[in-house]
Amino acid sequence: MSEIILKGIPAAPGIVIGRAHIFGKEDLDVEKMPINDEQVPLEISRFEDALIQTRQEIIALQRKIAAEMGSEHGEVFDAHLLVLEDRMLIEEVISKVKKEKVAVDFVFSEVLKRYANVFARIEDEYLKERISDINDVGRRILRNLLGKKRKSLSDLEDEVVIVAHDLSPSDTAMMHKNKVIGFVTDIGGKTSHTAIMAKSLEIPAVVGLEIGTEKIKNGDLVIVDGSSGLLIVAPDPETLKRYEVREEKIKGQSAAFASIRDLPAQTQDGKLVSLAANIEFPEEIPSVLLHGADGVGLYRTEYFYMNRRDLPTEDEQFEAYKQLANSFGDKPVIVRTMDLGGDKFISQLNVPKEMSPFMGWRAIRFCLARPDIFKTQLRAILRASVHANLRVMFPMISGVEELRKAKELLEDCKRELKNEGKYYNEKLEVGAMIEVPSAALTSDVLSREVSFFSIGTNDLIQYSLAVDRTNEKIAYLYEPTHPAVLRLIKGVIEAGHNSNIWVGMCGEMCGEPSLALLLLGMGLDEFSMPSASILEIKNVIRSVSLSRAKEIADEALTLLTGTDVEKFLQAKLKEILPDIYSA
Ligand code: PEP
Ligand code: MG
């Protein structure tokens, strides 16, 4: 096989060379095995056994879920059981085994593919949705035929590069304890939560390869170049050599940055900013400390609710937040209340599917509608706030009414805790994320109601430019440097400063060296990013004066297009740090 180079979207930097492991569709690729006449009845009974076994598995699963979460949650499996009883499908498989004299695994996988194709062409949305039931049950039957256990990303045996059509944030969340050294997907954008998770876990990743992953087979040697967004399949010896050299260079660069770990993030003319980390799991604490963060600027607590059947209790959350706060001593740790919805779902809440989940029942909107769940979290945060330097912020605030409602619930929780004789920090600092254009445009009003702002550009960009952050087809329109985005950011920083509150950013853009230069010049006080980016950004900040950064920002704001701003900033970065950025 000769080398193939595929171009996607860089999701998490770094280079990794390894063997491909196809995830999610591996079971449907079955080898065609001819059989003789005597083997036909054997194959048919193997198929019948697999159907019985699958039925037992589904019923057991259904009972378990109904017992733990209520019978309505078990009902989804009724559709799976119906697929198992589909006489047409069963008879088609049996008659093909008899006629074509081929092992049943192959016949079944072919029939399954044909069914899925037929359903995919149907206009009716409800029937279209049945594809996932058919595929789900089909994979189960195949696994039973092949005697394989259900594969999960948490039980891989060897170090591999995961190749998938798509990975949900909860799939990615399971990678942190296992052998995934890199991953690539067909779909997704730079700030989809799957990509963000890869950065946090420091796993090089490329997303948005479109149909690229179809060109890869299990076990292929691949290079994931997460910095340039390239995937190289079956690399030539020269390419391999070139990448091994680049891998070494990246390692050398990281070692050089490590020397500034304990130095302040201070410009050459003395302006001190804070460089904090974004985290998804408390397990990331050692890495955050290793990269010399000035605290945690964003803890995405919704991951607490994922990959489990129940909801986390108040005590469980209290212990986790307390431990997190204590790990950072007097450095601030900002807990963001849960931001469910968008591309992050949890099955135990049984939230109905929406047409536009990013514009729908998400984050604070969900929390205000479900005070029972929200208050459990708020009480846990309040109780943990007596420890170290914990702060709280609300996501997806779209206006002052919503902010006030969230703060009222926080006050209710304080009253409850007081009555119960439980402690909390009376002065707990409350912040608002500014990630909806309406919040950015009313930030002067919001700034009077909170202690700080954290600009969530991942969402602010998608909402202000009307570009779905997870859609690879329109990724070219997702421009952090678009003049509209820059004006919104500038307005938020000014509004915050006019009310004497500090303004931070926890969107991915502040972890990009050229953009950090611009944001520094715009007056941003706190930069919160995946911990692996912190030292590189610290190096940029320490290499420039605030006055120079201001001049750069002022000029960038006069430019007319996102592309012009980007080119201009790249050129300035090269002037400031030619050794690193000119190569
Ligand atoms: C953001 O929107 O910029 C943000 C930090 O929140 P999230 O990425 O979790 O939506
Ligand atoms: Mg957001």
Side-chain angles (χ1 to χ4, degrees):
M1 178 178 182
S2 56
E3 176 177 294
I4 308 175
I5 301 179
L6 301 167
K7 175 95 186 97
I9 299 167
I15 286 164
V16 73
I17 303 171
R19 295 280 164 192
H21 177 92
I22 314 286
F23 178 72
K25 53 185 178 186
E26 71 277 19
D27 292 341
L28 291 183
D29 293 324
V30 180
E31 242 179 87
K32 189 172 181 175
M33 287 269 288
I35 53 169
N36 55 35
D37 282 341
E38 288 89 78
Q39 285 171 306
V40 169
L42 222 73
E43 286 299 287
I44 293 172
S45 81
R46 214 157 65 77
F47 182 48
E48 283 165 351
D49 287 350
L51 290 177
I52 294 168
Q53 195 182 343
T54 307
R55 190 181 162 74
Q56 284 165 349
E57 271 175 26
I58 294 175
I59 290 173
L61 200 62
Q62 188 173 37
R63 284 205 185 118
K64 188 162 189 273
I65 293 199
E68 282 172 14
M69 296 164 60
S71 59
E72 70 280 15
H73 295 272
E75 279 163 18
V76 289
F77 294 102
D78 287 343
H80 290 199
L81 290 171
L82 281 180
V83 176
L84 273 176
E85 283 156 17
D86 185 334
R87 284 318 307 168
M88 284 228 313
L89 185 139
I90 296 170
E91 271 154 26
E92 185 177 344
V93 173
I94 294 178
S95 82
K96 279 196 161 171
V97 170
K98 286 182 183 160
K99 215 162 79 208
E100 295 173 13
K101 307 262 163 35
V102 176
V104 68
D105 329 1
F106 179 79
V107 172
F108 179 68
S109 80
E110 290 300 296
V111 172
L112 201 61
K113 280 182 201 162
R114 201 174 60 73
Y115 261 62
N117 282 338
V118 171
F119 274 84
R121 284 199 298 272
I122 291 174
E123 290 292 319
D124 185 306
E125 278 305 314
Y126 174 78
L127 284 177
K128 233 184 198 163
E129 295 246 324
R130 295 304 101 214
I131 300 178
S132 62
D133 292 330
I134 295 177
N135 277 335
D136 223 68
V137 181
R139 286 211 172 86
R140 250 177 219 287
I141 298 171
L142 258 183
R143 275 192 294 269
N144 287 330
L145 272 173
L146 300 166
K148 281 188 190 168
K149 272 215 331 253
R150 186 178 167 75
K151 278 231 177 74
S152 147
L153 278 180
S154 58
D155 48 42
L156 292 165
E157 277 155 25
D158 301 313
E159 290 199 333
V160 286
V161 170
I162 293 294
V163 176
H165 175 65
D166 185 21
L167 288 171
S168 68
S170 58
D171 286 330
T172 327
M174 295 213 280
M175 291 183 182
H176 70 290
K177 290 183 195 118
N178 67 35
K179 313 234 168 179
V180 179
I181 56 171
F183 73 79
V184 297
T185 60
D186 284 329
I187 65 174
K190 208 180 171 79
T191 60
S192 60
H193 283 96
T194 297
I196 289 174
M197 179 73 75
K199 272 199 208 161
S200 285
L201 302 176
E202 297 178 47
I203 298 175
V206 177
V207 298
L209 282 164
E210 309 229 344
I211 53 155
T213 64
E214 283 176 13
K215 301 195 165 68
I216 312 166
K217 291 193 307 306
N218 252 333
D220 279 350
L221 185 68
V222 292
I223 301 175
V224 180
D225 178 350
S227 307
S228 315
L230 295 178
L231 175 74
I232 299 144
V233 190
D236 294 338
E238 307 84 77
T239 311
L240 258 180
K241 185 92 217 121
R242 198 157 29 89
Y243 269 98
E244 278 160 8
V245 172
R246 268 191 64 192
E247 227 184 334
E248 281 309 305
K249 198 173 160 204
I250 291 176
K251 278 188 197 146
Q253 196 102 75
S254 310
F257 288 149
S259 64
I260 58 168
R261 199 192 83 151
D262 299 320
L263 300 176
Q266 192 164 31
T267 62
Q268 293 188 339
D269 49 358
K271 163 83 179 175
L272 194 65
V273 296
S274 169
L275 296 187
N278 292 349
I279 64 166
E280 284 76 31
F281 305 104
E283 285 93 328
E284 289 173 67
I285 297 169
S287 160
V288 174
L289 294 170
L290 191 76
H291 290 100
D294 297 319
V296 171
L298 165 66
Y299 170 28
R300 290 186 165 94
T301 56
E302 53 278 9
Y303 285 91
F304 216 127
Y305 297 73
M306 285 184 190
N307 292 325
R308 55 188 291 161
R309 293 229 167 86
D310 54 354
L311 292 171
T313 62
E314 179 184 317
D315 280 347
E316 200 182 334
Q317 292 188 62
F318 161 67
E319 285 300 331
Y321 304 151
K322 178 175 96 178
Q323 256 188 34
L324 179 65
N326 283 336
S327 308
F328 287 90
D330 55 3
K331 291 178 179 169
V333 169
I334 302 176
V335 176
R336 173 181 72 186
T337 58
M338 63 176 133
D339 179 11
L340 292 169
D343 59 350
K344 290 171 289 198
F345 304 103
I346 56 165
S347 50
Q348 63 270 40
L349 286 176
N350 210 19
V351 174
K353 268 201 172 159
E354 295 178 299
M355 289 287 277
S356 310
F358 274 115
M359 310 269 263
W361 207 35
R362 188 187 161 189
I364 200 70
R365 302 165 180 189
F366 170 83
C367 286
L368 293 178
R370 291 295 306 266
D372 50 331
I373 296 173
F374 192 31
K375 281 174 77 180
T376 304
Q377 180 173 44
L378 292 177
R379 285 174 55 101
I381 295 170
L382 278 167
R383 283 172 57 202
S385 69
V386 290
H387 298 273
N389 191 355
L390 203 73
R391 297 169 185 179
V392 65
M393 69 179 176
F394 301 121
M396 284 284 288
I397 292 293
S398 62
V400 74
E401 257 190 309
E402 222 170 18
L403 177 60
R404 285 185 182 154
K405 279 187 189 148
K407 283 172 62 184
E408 267 165 34
L409 283 177
L410 190 70
E411 290 306 311
D412 284 352
C413 293
K414 285 185 184 172
R415 271 189 293 276
E416 283 173 21
L417 290 172
K418 195 173 260 168
N419 289 339
E420 292 164 27
K422 293 184 175 141
Y423 297 107
Y424 60 87
N425 174 10
E426 279 285 357
K427 297 202 176 92
L428 171 67
E429 287 190 19
V430 176
M433 283 192 72
I434 305 293
E435 49 184 347
V436 179
S438 57
L441 293 168
T442 53
S443 50
D444 55 331
V445 181
L446 296 172
S447 65
R448 289 180 228 128
E449 312 259 340
V450 286
S451 304
F452 63 91
F453 280 157
S454 184
I455 309 176
T457 47
N458 302 340
D459 279 312
L460 187 61
I461 296 168
Q462 81 162 341
Y463 295 132
S464 52
L465 303 181
V467 178
D468 179 344
R469 64 194 266 192
T470 64
N471 187 337
E472 68 286 352
K473 293 194 177 60
I474 46 170
Y476 69 98
L477 289 171
Y478 189 93
E479 287 184 304
T481 49
H482 192 295
V485 175
L486 301 190
R487 288 178 199 190
L488 286 174
I489 295 173
K490 186 163 185 274
V492 175
I493 296 175
E494 281 173 3
H497 289 174
N498 287 340
S499 293
N500 294 318
I501 62 168
W502 61 265
V503 181
M505 179 178 287
C506 55
E508 296 296 297
M509 79 180 264
C510 71
E512 300 280 338
S514 62
L515 303 178
L517 185 61
L518 167 78
L519 295 164
L520 176 72
M522 284 176 150
L524 194 72
D525 303 296
E526 180 235 31
F527 299 60
S528 190
M529 62 195 78
S531 54
S533 307
I534 289 176
L535 291 176
E536 184 173 11
I537 299 303
K538 189 185 276 190
N539 191 47
V540 172
I541 286 168
R542 291 181 57 81
S543 308
V544 68
S545 65
L546 180 63
S547 55
R548 173 107 192 263
K550 271 190 175 143
E551 279 167 22
I552 294 172
D554 287 347
E555 195 171 340
L557 281 157
T558 65
L559 301 175
L560 303 187
T561 70
T563 313
D564 289 346
V565 174
E566 200 187 324
K567 279 191 193 146
F568 170 75
L569 293 176
Q570 290 293 350
K572 292 292 159 194
L573 187 65
K574 282 180 188 169
E575 268 174 42
I576 294 164
L577 285 162
D579 289 350
I580 301 178
Y581 298 106
S582 283

